[in-house]
Amino acid sequence: MDRTRRSYAAYIALMLVALQFAGCGVTRSTDTNRTATEQLLISDAIDRAVQNMDLHVLAGQTVYLDETKLADVVDKNYLISSLHQYLLANGCQLRDKREDADFVVEARAGAVGTDRNDLLFGVPSMNVPQIPLVQPVPAAIPEIPIAKRKDQRGIAKIAVFAYHRKTGAPVWQSGLVHEESSANDVWILGA
């Protein structure tokens, strides 16, 4: 009898400890079209790439930024504004019209975007087969992670070059500038 009580007490204690680790929660990733993390990763990668360009050759010159090759780039407006700001910070005199500038600076982007890699040790969420007459609502098993990891990277690969507007003679090129930003999240037993 004493042995049964100890086993029962140990079982109860084990259940109480297990209940402390049990929990349920919902993490809402975003209320906008794109997450803030994605936007920060991309804008940081763009900032890093632009700041790695050496524009001192164009200091004091009148410059027109040709942005036509950036038409389909994610966060195009942020990239263009960053380039404008960096040209001004390096002593360039920006012009709104090509005809008013001595030099044309053309920018292009090979990649501006994010990559994501998810890893889950546990049971992924899934739909359970059902019998329509018995169970009219779709049944699903929620995700039950033991350990979970999410890695995100923001990538910007940008190239800029300058040429004399009248002669077309090359003046400067940045080369390919490739920069990344990253965000990593790890969960173990829900923590």
Side-chain angles (χ1 to χ4, degrees):
M1 183 89 163
D2 196 33
R3 186 178 203 183
T4 306
R5 267 193 201 153
R6 280 190 222 152
S7 296
Y8 184 69
Y11 177 75
I12 296 294
L14 183 62
M15 291 304 292
L16 289 174
V17 169
L19 282 174
Q20 287 178 338
F21 291 108
C24 183
V26 174
T27 301
R28 187 170 206 151
S29 296
T30 183
D31 289 324
T32 57
N33 291 336
R34 296 169 52 209
T35 65
T37 301
E38 176 189 357
Q39 293 174 55
L40 287 170
L41 288 171
I42 289 174
S43 63
D44 185 57
I46 287 172
D47 289 340
R48 290 173 187 233
V50 169
Q51 289 174 5
N52 280 334
M53 296 177 188
D54 183 10
L55 296 169
H56 75 277
V57 173
L58 298 171
Q61 304 297 328
T62 56
V63 172
Y64 170 76
L65 178 61
D66 184 354
E67 55 198 56
T68 57
K69 304 294 190 260
L70 300 174
D72 297 329
V73 174
V74 173
D75 290 339
K76 170 182 111 172
N77 292 335
Y78 187 83
L79 174 55
I80 291 168
S81 179
S82 295
L83 287 168
H84 278 156
Q85 184 267 328
Y86 201 62
L87 285 164
L88 289 170
N90 279 275
C92 297
Q93 299 171 22
L94 291 177
R95 298 293 184 253
D96 291 332
K97 296 180 184 173
R98 182 183 289 264
E99 304 81 39
D100 296 339
D102 292 328
F103 296 94
V104 176
V105 174
E106 186 174 307
R108 68 183 185 277
V112 175
T114 58
D115 285 336
R116 182 172 135 176
N117 184 19
D118 294 330
L119 179 64
L120 171 70
F121 293 104
V123 178
S125 64
M126 65 182 95
N127 290 327
V128 177
Q130 55 190 338
I131 302 170
L133 298 174
V134 178
Q135 193 174 14
V137 179
I141 297 175
E143 180 181 89
I144 305 170
I146 296 170
K148 184 176 173 180
R149 181 178 175 147
K150 180 171 78 172
D151 298 326
Q152 290 180 280
R153 292 184 315 149
I155 300 165
K157 178 184 169 189
I158 301 168
V160 177
F161 64 96
Y163 58 90
H164 194 274
R165 181 183 58 84
K166 290 182 181 175
T167 66
V171 176
W172 170 83
Q173 63 180 350
S174 67
L176 296 176
V177 182
H178 178 269
E179 288 293 330
E180 295 184 13
S181 295
S182 63
N184 305 308
D185 295 315
V186 177
W187 296 270
I188 298 175
L189 297 174

